[in-house]
Amino acid sequence: MTRGRISLIADDTAHELSAGDTYYCRAGEKHRWWAHSPHTTTLVLAVADGRTVKRTSRL
């Protein structure tokens, strides 16, 4: 996180992240996150080479 605040749920455990925090997800770990305010939130996401990212959308 470089700016703002998010909630993260990973493997059914809730986490609160803010600027300066990091979180490492193991391969295959189910996770989701959302921002807490209408202001800009910046989250840096890195995926290791050779991994597949599957994106799902809940609308």
Side-chain angles (χ1 to χ4, degrees):
M1 293 289 309
T2 59
R3 181 173 29 176
R5 198 179 90 201
I6 64 166
S7 285
L8 166 75
I9 296 180
D11 281 345
D12 297 322
T13 302
H15 305 275
E16 299 288 328
L17 300 177
S18 59
D21 291 338
T22 61
Y23 186 85
Y24 171 80
C25 292
R26 297 178 317 275
E29 181 177 13
K30 293 182 185 273
H31 58 281
R32 61 189 171 129
W33 65 84
W34 60 95
H36 286 278
S37 80
H39 303 291
T40 300
T41 298
T42 306
L43 170 70
V44 177
L45 176 66
V47 179
D49 190 28
R51 301 284 182 202
T52 302
V53 176
K54 180 179 178 184
R55 181 181 177 141
T56 59
S57 178
R58 293 183 187 189
L59 297 177

